[in-house]
Amino acid sequence: MRRDVGIAIIGGGAAGLAAAVAAYDAGVEDVVIFEREDATGGILKQCIHNGFGLHRFKEELTGPEYAARELAAAEMRGIEIEYEASVLSLSRDRVLSVVSPTLGMLEVHAKAVILAMGSRERTRGALRIPGARPAGVYTAGTAQHMINLEGIMPGKEIVMLGSGDIGLIVARRLAYEGAHVKMVLNRSHISSGLKRNIVQCLDDYGIPLRLLHTITSIHGTSRIEAVGVSQVDKETKAAIPGTEEIIPCDTLLLSVGLIPENELSRQAGVAIDRGSSGASVDETYQTTIPGIFSAGNVLHIHDLVDFVSEEGEGAGKAAAAFVLAGVGASEQAHDAGDIVASARVSAGSGVSYVVPQRVSARAASKVLMRFRVRRIYKKASIIVLADGVEVKRFKRPVMVPAEMSEIRIDPALIAGRSAIEVRIEGEEE
């Protein structure tokens, strides 16, 4: 069965809900969200701790409270949400194959598509940890889902590899429930989690953080019985022979990073940025394919959900403008030279990636650029170069990889330029 829609949004998390509301308010009421689970909110549903919404709602909320507010805004406008609807494929001409218990098989033809699929966790397979394959090895997010949504404890004697924010929060949650979190290991010499989470989730509960340590073996048959913990060389990040220590445990949790969920993006032919692992977009969050937009954790991994919603709003407004301008006219303008005329944005010294990856000639307001640094910097300067010439400099007292940074650039400073570079200067720690 075929269905035509104005804007199809893939994913009903914070980015997808905010995009739907923004698109509706911008004049396109024919908006449909396709959500593969039986409820909206994405990862927020299982994040029962507070700390959400300070930027967006000016108050501190739990994850479910934040998600409920975004859902209420969509429901107030009568925006259609299709639950348990999995998008199996997406073509570059914006045709989606959708399947669900209520819809059956559906072919959706959209005037614009917003990618809001979020991200997934890295697993043991991605890390190539040697050893047996017993039960008791989980990602931190899976453990959080088990505890908060299903009331199941993953284990009692816990070792955690990786110090991402989800893992730090799960370590504290396990301590609340009486588990013994024996240690949190991090392969790098700096934690990948926010400093406040290290203090509030580890230090305040006496949970040790071992930097420059990793898991080098897993022991056990039906259930994990112990792990081998080895020191890591700071420069090569390789385990140091002869340093392995056997730590008894019944559970190993992995908090080793998130990966933007971009299988559908690649299938449609969207260009993927190697630095962010998300789509290559312009300042309106439009990808390299006209009418396909991307926002939130599918675009790049965020620290705060407030900024996920902000990007969703930006993508929703831009998608509505694309539809209201007339799809044919919008595509023609895009293909006629928007990408060619765009200034390419690149990550310079000290920067892992920059979003957006290009700024179009039509940019009229200040361009928001978000990025992450590779190392810790003190007394840092963010330098913006246009065709090799410095056009703007921002000062920051401290910059760390765990915190996303942002700047806003006056488009007049980069008008007519072909290459923009963002780089960092400062004292490395």
Side-chain angles (χ1 to χ4, degrees):
M1 185 170 66
R2 170 173 171 154
R3 179 176 175 187
D4 295 303
V5 302
I7 298 176
I9 300 175
I10 308 175
L17 290 169
V21 170
Y24 185 98
D25 290 347
V28 178
E29 298 183 2
D30 184 15
V31 179
V32 183
I33 298 174
F34 295 100
E35 167 55 49
R36 68 182 177 185
E37 297 186 10
D38 60 2
T40 57
I43 195 69
L44 290 168
K45 297 191 295 294
Q46 65 191 53
C47 297
I48 64 173
H49 54 281
N50 59 9
F52 301 91
L54 289 171
H55 292 269
R56 186 162 175 80
F57 298 113
K58 309 304 180 188
E59 60 180 299
E60 197 170 26
L61 305 170
T62 65
E65 288 172 333
Y66 187 105
R69 292 206 181 181
E70 296 286 19
L71 176 60
E75 289 180 336
M76 184 178 70
R77 291 160 175 80
I79 293 171
E80 181 182 349
I81 303 174
E82 293 292 347
Y83 294 100
E84 297 183 306
S86 296
V87 179
L88 303 180
S89 65
L90 171 65
S91 69
R92 65 179 300 114
D93 55 352
R94 302 180 298 279
V95 177
L96 296 74
S97 295
V98 183
V99 63
S100 83
T102 55
L103 299 174
M105 285 293 299
L106 183 64
E107 185 178 88
V108 178
H109 293 248
K111 294 179 180 178
V113 173
I114 299 175
L115 307 172
M117 294 88 73
S119 59
R120 67 178 186 274
E121 294 179 279
R122 284 189 173 89
T123 62
R124 176 187 174 179
L127 301 177
R128 301 179 181 177
I129 301 174
R133 299 181 62 84
V137 181
Y138 306 99
T139 64
T142 298
Q144 186 182 56
H145 186 278
M146 292 170 66
I147 300 168
N148 294 342
L149 296 184
E150 299 180 21
I152 300 172
M153 281 289 286
K156 287 291 187 179
E157 297 291 323
I158 316 290
V159 173
M160 182 172 293
L161 175 61
S163 58
D165 290 313
I166 294 175
L168 297 175
I169 290 165
V170 170
R172 177 179 63 183
R173 185 75 175 94
L174 287 162
Y176 283 163
E177 296 296 335
H180 179 206
V181 183
K182 307 185 83 167
M183 62 187 68
V184 174
L185 312 171
N186 202 81
R187 191 170 186 172
S188 176
H189 66 290
I190 57 175
S191 171
S192 56
L194 296 170
K195 179 63 177 178
R196 65 173 180 269
N197 283 333
I198 296 172
V199 173
Q200 295 172 3
C201 300
L202 299 188
D203 296 350
D204 289 355
Y205 293 87
I207 300 172
L209 172 62
R210 289 194 186 184
L211 300 176
L212 292 174
H213 283 76
T214 192
I215 302 292
T216 45
S217 61
I218 294 176
H219 305 271
T221 51
S222 60
R223 177 82 188 192
I224 186 170
E225 298 171 1
V227 293
V229 175
S230 297
Q231 297 176 28
V232 171
D233 183 271
K234 182 178 179 181
E235 301 303 323
T236 66
K237 298 296 185 290
I240 300 173
T243 63
E244 187 177 68
E245 176 185 1
I246 302 301
I247 306 295
C249 63
D250 62 18
T251 305
L252 171 63
L253 300 184
L254 306 175
S255 178
V256 288
L258 300 172
I259 304 170
E261 190 75 78
N262 270 299
E263 281 67 24
L264 289 173
S265 312
R266 292 186 178 90
Q267 188 181 83
V270 169
I272 302 297
D273 180 70
R274 291 184 63 184
S276 66
S277 297
S280 175
V281 297
D282 65 12
E283 76 284 354
T284 70
Y285 304 106
Q286 185 166 220
T287 69
T288 50
I289 297 179
I292 298 182
F293 300 79
S294 180
N297 279 345
V298 75
L299 181 60
H300 61 127
I301 303 303
H302 291 65
D303 314 321
L304 299 178
V305 70
D306 308 62
F307 299 147
V308 169
S309 296
E310 182 183 354
E311 285 185 1
E313 284 187 340
K317 291 175 183 177
F322 180 90
V323 172
L324 293 173
V327 175
S330 298
E331 288 179 328
Q332 187 176 10
H334 191 276
D335 293 336
D338 265 3
I339 291 182
V340 174
S342 296
R344 179 177 52 84
V345 182
S346 62
S349 176
V351 178
S352 296
Y353 70 85
V354 184
V355 174
Q357 288 79 11
R358 62 186 191 279
V359 178
S360 67
R362 65 178 179 273
S365 58
K366 283 196 172 183
V367 177
L368 172 63
M369 294 184 177
R370 289 189 166 131
F371 59 93
R372 290 187 185 273
V373 294
R374 294 184 179 277
R375 292 172 287 277
I376 297 175
Y377 291 94
K378 291 186 174 181
K379 299 178 181 179
S381 293
I382 305 168
I383 301 169
V384 181
L385 304 174
D387 289 344
V389 178
E390 181 178 327
V391 295
K392 189 69 176 178
R393 180 180 290 249
F394 302 84
K395 298 288 187 179
R396 296 287 188 273
V398 178
M399 302 184 75
V400 297
E403 295 186 17
M404 190 169 64
S405 301
E406 68 174 48
I407 55 176
R408 295 178 187 269
I409 302 295
D410 187 333
L413 295 175
I414 54 179
R417 307 300 178 94
S418 61
I420 310 300
E421 180 184 333
V422 179
R423 63 169 56 178
I424 304 297
E425 288 183 358
E427 299 176 6
E428 292 186 29
E429 184 172 300

